[in-house]
Amino acid sequence: MTENTQTPSSPNPELPTQYAPAEVEGKLYERWVERGYFEADENSDKPPYTIVIPPPNVTGSLHLGHAFEHTLIDALTRRKRMQGYETLWQPGMDHAGIATQNVVERELAKEGKSRHDLGREAFVERVWQWKGESGGQISGQMRRLGDGVDWSRERFTMDEGLSQAVQTIFKKLYDDELIYRAERIINWCPRCLTAISDIEVEYQDDDGELVSIRYGSGDASIVVATTRAETMLGDTAVAVHPDDERYRHLVGTEIELPLTGRRIPVVADEHVDPEFGTGAVKVTPAHDPNDFEIGQRHGLPNLAVMDERAVITAHGPFQGLDRLEARSAIVAALRAEGRIVAEKRPYVHSVGHCSRCKTTIEPRLSMQWWVKVGPLAKAAGDAVRDGKVKIHPQEMEKRYFDWVDNLHDWCISRQLWWGHRIPVWYGPNGEIVCVGPDEEAPSGEGWRQDTDVLDTWFSSGLWPFSTLGWPEQTDSLAKFYPNSVLVTGYDILFFWVARMMMFGLYAMDGTPPFHTIALHGMVRDQFGKKMSKSFGNAVNPLDWMDTYGSDAVRFTLARGANPGVDVPIGEDWVQASRNFANKIWNATRFALMNGATVEGPLPDASEMSATDRWILSRLNKTVAEVDALYDDYQFSKLSEALYHFAWDEVFDWYVELSKTTFFAGGEGARVSGRVLGEVLDVMLRLLHPVVPFVTETLWTTLTGKESVVIADWPTDSGFRDEAAEKEIELVQQVVTEVRRFRSDQGLQPGQKVPARLELGGTALAPHEAAIRQLLRLQPEGEGFSATASLPVAGATVALDLSGTIDVAAERKRLAKDLAAAEKEKAQANGKLGNEAFLAKAPDNVVDKIRTRLAKADEDIARIQAQLDRLPQA
């Protein structure tokens, strides 16, 4: 175990009787920040360790998902800092284009205004004003949680440096013909009035209607089915499969499109499934992505029939109707003409919704900017296949490959005012000029800049290197790129991780943005249900921090964090973690009051008792185990290991076994006091990354040193004593078995019982005083009568229960319990032996009866053992 290099002052063993998190957490955090513990130095000779924060939205506040993710990242960075790495946890926020614009537009609406009343420049200025006044509250909440980020490097995706990075990479991609402008079908939100990407569409099953409509008449007619009857106004063809004999005579002809007075062609296309429905589909190229592709193959016109608010623009009686109003009106008109062949309501089908405002999205033909992702996505896939980047847990690789290997070109333009404006100018004679950050924009009459802004994920995709000063070749970029690990949820593997992989490899000459992608799950309630305000189960983590302390919230979250798996959490679990923090506090306080110290060298093993050697052996094994689990991102397992070592082995066993030594005083007490001090020193350092506040207070009190934040991380010294471990295991067996017997007999934990310990030549002999202390066993005394005898671990513990329990009454009670258990067994055996019953009973019923039988057998064995131990009445 490494020695701490901080200069100690005099340790102060005085601690308040109770731990009050609210009184210490805020002060401790500000002290850490003021002393610069979290600041990273790019000129340091230490090896780098870098993690970026997944930038929360500037509109957001700390929710349990943030608290969970931040806890894991903070644990990793605190440990690496203690291990001697130059550690950078990069903080910052995302400008969150659509979300932020919506917030400010709602504020304007309260004043009876829209953004158009202000104009673009004034509106953007208003958003910056809102950001300064109301945005970023999450920063203060991160401090509450204890996030060890380098606040001196805080970035914002719209700040000057990151804006330069965005413009630089746009220009580079444009010059390399990886960005282009084209008219394509996009996902359009009629509420947000902007294009959104595929990954910003949430699909859910909605109740709709499926209407079958006859186009044409007589032999020259075809029935098509649709859930969006309103789009028929924009149909420019009907498609059938080339091999479908039913329609072969119609291919190449035209049929009448109802309600419009137009005639449209019948085309043959391989895309059509002849087995689905009628085997014929209406083709609306301007309002459906698949239809658009069919239209491209057959040279069909693109006829848009809705505006940006999803209002019908086609000439006729439906013009000016909302799409849903038009749907009903069109179906009614078709029904009146006898065109409706069948109607199915409700018809449940998957419908896309805007992930931000939940409005049903509308596929829409639109001129947009696109990233040609083919070569970028291939590089992102190869980086993982070649082992340059590891995904943890490994089973998540398949999801990653399924995504990057099938990426469509990415629509990056958004019809918003808040965001990075596309750096392209259009000239009066059709000129198009892309302008880099160091280039002059064209000026003069007729020149105008593109009005769209870039998708938020475009700028956040640059986060691992733009935050370090790129495109400038800064010392920070040289020191801290690539990131050591990315810790993020599997739910944004596609949104964010794939974008960073593509841009990092492209901009940084093939160097991926991180070595490892460590994916975690989502936080859910204790029943495994997604947390949501609409479900009434959402939790504000600040409320739990106020009640139980930040350490309790952090430990609960870390303890549930299995890689890639969702995390259930309930208030009872946070309360249990608060109890753990209190246990650490109280046990450390007791230890300090009874001689625990870090002063002087650790005594030689020859001076130590078996108990001392046992706890040091277990300590080093725990250090090795925790290190291995950290390196494998097994936060749940390492938290469990620390919990059980601290509570079970240190507090419940070592401290209790050593009490007789401490009370006796002398050299043994001095040695054990120094051992206990060593154990507490190392244990508190191991616990610190997960529960930083309570460990800081206790460790500085124990050692008198400046801060555990900058203490050395413990290392395994290699000390092992298997003989001592086996010896103490025997002690634990004796104590556990006798405690179980006492409990079975109804004895109170503090009730003293005369006993004779027949330890003979066993390894238990040196521990008789401790065993008696732990079990409340008095010496034999005059008139001792061994009414119960327990053979355990090669020894015998004889107890005189004559003055403590009514043996006759206890035998009567146990006999009654035994009879009930035997009756239960007989009934279960009777049913399981009945062939007629087994033939008819469901499997789950039979399984329950087998479980009852097994339980009855266990009860009979347990009760019979208790009876055998009792003296004869």
Side-chain angles (χ1 to χ4, degrees):
M1 290 160 287
T2 56
E3 291 294 322
N4 192 302
T5 56
Q6 299 173 53
T7 302
S9 57
S10 298
N12 178 10
E14 295 299 323
L15 284 171
T17 55
Q18 291 185 325
Y19 176 50
E23 295 178 12
V24 300
E25 290 180 350
K27 295 175 184 177
L28 285 181
Y29 188 83
E30 290 310 313
R31 186 193 308 163
W32 293 335
V33 173
E34 288 168 6
R35 294 180 178 178
Y37 293 157
F38 306 139
E39 293 181 11
D41 180 5
E42 60 264 28
N43 298 312
S44 165
D45 293 332
K46 297 177 181 178
Y49 186 80
T50 316
I51 294 181
V52 293
I53 194 172
N57 288 354
V58 68
T59 58
S61 60
L62 192 75
H63 56 65
L64 265 181
H66 288 128
F68 172 56
E69 187 167 77
H70 290 200
T71 293
L72 306 186
I73 299 175
D74 197 40
L76 291 174
T77 52
R78 284 179 182 269
R79 172 177 175 254
K80 285 296 181 181
R81 191 177 292 113
M82 295 171 75
Q83 286 183 314
Y85 286 80
E86 194 59 45
T87 302
L88 170 60
W89 182 9
Q90 172 69 54
M93 285 180 290
D94 191 282
H95 65 279
I98 296 176
T100 305
Q101 180 157 320
N102 283 347
V103 168
V104 178
E105 286 197 81
R106 284 197 295 270
E107 292 296 314
L108 284 174
K110 294 176 184 177
E111 304 170 16
K113 298 178 182 177
S114 74
R115 60 179 162 125
H116 300 285
D117 293 326
L118 271 65
R120 183 165 192 146
E121 287 188 13
F123 176 76
V124 171
E125 181 59 36
R126 179 70 176 262
V127 180
W128 278 108
Q129 180 184 339
W130 174 87
K131 190 254 181 189
E133 294 173 356
S134 307
Q137 62 174 310
I138 200 168
S139 297
Q141 296 165 341
M142 287 166 60
R143 293 171 182 263
R144 284 286 313 277
L145 188 64
D147 288 2
V149 300
D150 185 346
W151 290 110
S152 69
R153 294 172 177 264
E154 187 175 12
R155 303 303 298 269
F156 179 54
T157 50
M158 285 282 286
D159 69 27
E160 184 178 351
L162 270 65
S163 296
Q164 182 184 26
V166 168
Q167 194 172 352
T168 299
I169 201 162
F170 187 100
K171 170 71 171 173
K172 181 174 170 58
L173 288 162
Y174 182 87
D175 289 346
D176 288 344
E177 298 183 349
L178 292 172
I179 280 183
Y180 63 95
R181 190 168 184 248
E183 191 175 46
R184 299 269 188 85
I185 291 284
I186 47 89
N187 302 302
W188 181 265
C189 176
R191 161 64 183 78
C192 298
L193 298 179
T194 181
I196 59 176
S197 66
D198 291 343
I199 52 180
E200 293 169 299
V201 178
E202 294 178 346
Y203 287 91
Q204 66 184 49
D205 288 341
D206 286 357
D207 286 343
E209 61 181 0
L210 181 67
V211 182
S212 297
I213 310 168
R214 183 177 299 280
Y215 286 14
S217 58
D219 291 338
S221 69
I222 293 181
V223 175
V224 298
T226 181
T227 58
R228 302 170 68 224
E230 69 279 8
T231 63
M232 68 162 290
L233 301 176
D235 286 358
T236 56
V238 171
V240 298
H241 193 274
D243 299 330
D244 195 330
E245 294 291 342
R246 294 171 294 176
Y247 305 116
R248 188 182 295 276
H249 67 291
L250 291 175
V251 174
T253 68
E254 290 186 343
I255 59 174
E256 180 188 352
L257 177 65
L259 306 181
T260 67
R262 291 192 289 115
R263 294 184 68 79
I264 58 176
V266 178
V267 300
D269 196 277
E270 296 279 353
H271 171 76
V272 179
D273 180 1
E275 303 298 324
F276 183 77
T278 64
V281 296
K282 58 191 288 297
V283 182
T284 320
H287 293 280
D288 184 275
N290 293 321
D291 293 2
F292 178 78
E293 297 297 332
I294 293 175
Q296 292 291 295
R297 287 192 288 273
H298 296 275
L300 301 174
N302 301 316
L303 183 59
V305 296
M306 278 183 249
D307 67 10
E308 61 183 8
R309 297 183 184 277
V311 172
I312 301 298
T313 58
H315 294 296
F318 312 108
Q319 186 175 4
L321 295 180
D322 170 81
R323 56 183 167 169
L324 297 181
E325 295 172 331
R327 182 177 300 170
S328 299
I330 287 170
V331 170
L334 290 167
R335 190 183 300 113
E337 288 191 3
R339 294 283 182 176
I340 300 297
V341 175
E343 297 178 70
K344 184 177 182 181
R345 296 188 185 87
Y347 178 72
V348 179
H349 61 132
S350 181
V351 178
H353 296 259
C354 173
S355 62
R356 289 176 175 82
C357 72
K358 311 307 177 187
T359 300
T360 300
I361 62 101
E362 191 65 44
R364 186 170 188 249
L365 186 64
S366 180
M367 183 68 75
Q368 301 285 345
W369 285 96
W370 304 80
V371 172
K372 186 184 296 183
V373 300
L376 302 175
K378 182 180 184 304
D382 290 346
V384 175
R385 288 189 174 93
D386 297 344
K388 291 181 181 178
V389 178
K390 297 187 184 302
I391 294 180
H392 191 280
Q394 190 174 3
E395 54 265 27
M396 285 286 182
E397 282 186 3
K398 183 180 184 301
R399 294 183 66 174
Y400 176 79
F401 291 136
D402 286 346
W403 179 255
V404 298
D405 292 347
N406 297 286
L407 267 180
H408 299 295
D409 284 0
W410 172 19
C411 177
I412 55 171
S413 44
R414 299 290 180 268
Q415 290 64 56
L416 304 171
W417 286 357
W418 172 245
H420 296 282
R421 196 163 174 182
I422 289 177
V424 171
W425 273 254
Y426 305 105
N429 299 311
E431 304 96 330
I432 299 179
V433 177
C434 180
V435 178
D438 299 322
E439 299 172 349
E440 285 286 333
S443 59
E445 187 176 349
W447 283 93
R448 60 183 178 84
Q449 186 178 358
D450 196 301
T451 57
D452 289 351
V453 300
L454 287 164
D455 177 10
T456 295
W457 297 103
F458 190 94
S459 53
S460 59
L462 314 180
W463 193 247
F465 51 93
S466 63
T467 52
L468 298 172
W470 188 90
E472 300 299 324
Q473 298 304 305
T474 64
D475 291 341
S476 289
L477 190 64
K479 178 75 173 180
F480 296 114
Y481 187 91
N483 287 195
S484 306
V485 61
L486 173 74
V487 178
T488 192
Y490 65 71
D491 55 318
I492 58 172
L493 180 63
F494 316 132
F495 285 83
W496 189 43
V497 179
R499 308 306 195 213
M500 288 189 290
M501 285 287 283
M502 291 192 297
F503 282 168
L505 289 159
Y506 173 74
M508 299 301 292
D509 300 321
T511 302
F514 16 74
H515 298 302
T516 301
I517 302 167
L519 297 171
H520 59 72
M522 298 171 62
V523 177
R524 297 182 178 271
D525 69 14
Q526 65 264 45
F527 306 110
K529 191 174 182 180
K530 182 179 178 180
M531 285 192 174
S532 167
K533 290 181 181 177
S534 61
F535 295 156
N537 63 350
V539 173
N540 182 347
L542 295 177
D543 293 339
W544 280 355
M545 289 184 217
D546 289 342
T547 305
Y548 304 109
S550 297
D551 283 333
V553 175
R554 290 171 61 114
F555 192 75
T556 304
L557 292 166
R559 202 174 178 187
N562 287 299
V565 178
D566 289 346
V567 182
I569 183 172
E571 188 167 2
D572 288 350
W573 305 340
V574 184
Q575 186 173 351
S577 295
R578 187 272 313 273
N579 295 344
F580 179 51
N582 287 342
K583 180 76 170 181
I584 299 170
W585 181 274
N586 294 333
T588 303
R589 183 172 178 272
F590 171 85
L592 288 170
M593 293 171 61
N594 287 275
T597 179
V598 295
E599 293 183 348
L602 200 61
D604 189 79
S606 62
E607 302 177 57
M608 298 179 192
S609 66
T611 308
D612 295 332
R613 298 194 306 276
W614 163 74
I615 196 61
L616 288 176
S617 185
R618 290 295 309 131
L619 175 67
N620 278 282
K621 286 184 178 179
T622 301
V623 170
E625 181 183 6
V626 168
D627 266 334
L629 292 170
Y630 259 117
D631 291 339
D632 198 35
Y633 305 101
Q634 298 282 355
F635 297 98
S636 176
K637 290 181 180 178
L638 71 88
S639 298
E640 283 294 312
L642 288 169
Y643 175 89
H644 289 295
F645 175 73
W647 193 306
D648 299 345
E649 297 188 289
V650 177
F651 303 145
D652 280 359
W653 284 107
Y654 179 72
V655 170
E656 294 299 322
L657 286 170
S658 300
K659 279 183 178 179
T660 54
T661 303
F662 288 133
F663 296 160
E667 183 62 15
R670 184 194 69 79
V671 170
S672 291
R674 180 64 188 89
V675 169
L676 181 53
E678 180 76 6
V679 171
L680 291 175
D681 172 16
V682 174
M683 183 194 77
L684 292 170
R685 283 187 276 154
L686 288 174
L687 281 164
H688 173 71
V690 181
V691 284
F693 295 108
V694 68
T695 52
E696 171 80 339
T697 305
L698 294 174
W699 189 84
T700 53
T701 302
L702 171 69
T703 66
K705 296 176 182 177
E706 181 182 337
S707 175
V708 70
V709 177
I710 53 172
D712 293 333
W713 180 252
T715 57
D716 178 7
S717 71
F719 179 86
R720 300 287 190 276
D721 194 323
E722 300 298 336
E725 290 196 41
K726 289 179 180 177
E727 187 171 320
I728 300 305
E729 283 176 15
L730 295 176
V731 175
Q732 291 171 327
Q733 286 179 34
V734 171
V735 172
T736 301
E737 187 64 26
V738 176
R739 278 178 174 165
R740 183 182 296 115
F741 176 76
R742 288 177 57 112
S743 176
D744 288 343
Q745 305 312 314
L747 296 176
Q748 296 300 314
Q751 190 172 353
K752 294 183 179 181
V753 178
R756 178 172 64 244
L757 273 60
E758 298 172 1
L759 306 179
T762 68
L764 293 166
H767 304 282
E768 178 171 352
I771 292 171
R772 285 187 177 276
Q773 170 73 23
L774 288 170
L775 292 171
R776 304 295 190 267
L777 301 180
Q778 294 178 314
E780 298 173 42
E782 189 174 342
F784 176 84
S785 174
T787 57
S789 183
L790 280 72
V792 57
T796 301
V797 178
L799 305 173
D800 183 353
L801 304 178
S802 57
T804 56
I805 63 171
D806 184 334
V807 176
E810 186 64 14
R811 277 192 168 277
K812 186 176 180 180
R813 181 184 71 80
L814 289 172
K816 183 179 178 181
D817 291 346
L818 182 61
E822 288 174 337
K823 181 180 179 182
E824 175 74 3
K825 179 178 180 177
Q827 289 176 342
N829 273 327
K831 289 184 177 180
L832 293 175
N834 185 334
E835 294 296 333
F837 170 79
L838 292 177
K840 296 179 181 178
D843 290 345
N844 65 319
V845 172
V846 176
D847 288 341
K848 285 183 180 178
I849 295 171
R850 290 195 176 111
T851 301
R852 284 170 49 194
L853 177 60
K855 176 68 165 53
D857 281 335
E858 290 176 6
D859 289 345
I860 290 168
R862 175 179 55 79
I863 297 167
Q864 190 61 60
Q866 290 177 240
L867 281 166
D868 292 344
R869 288 170 178 165
L870 282 174
Q872 295 300 315

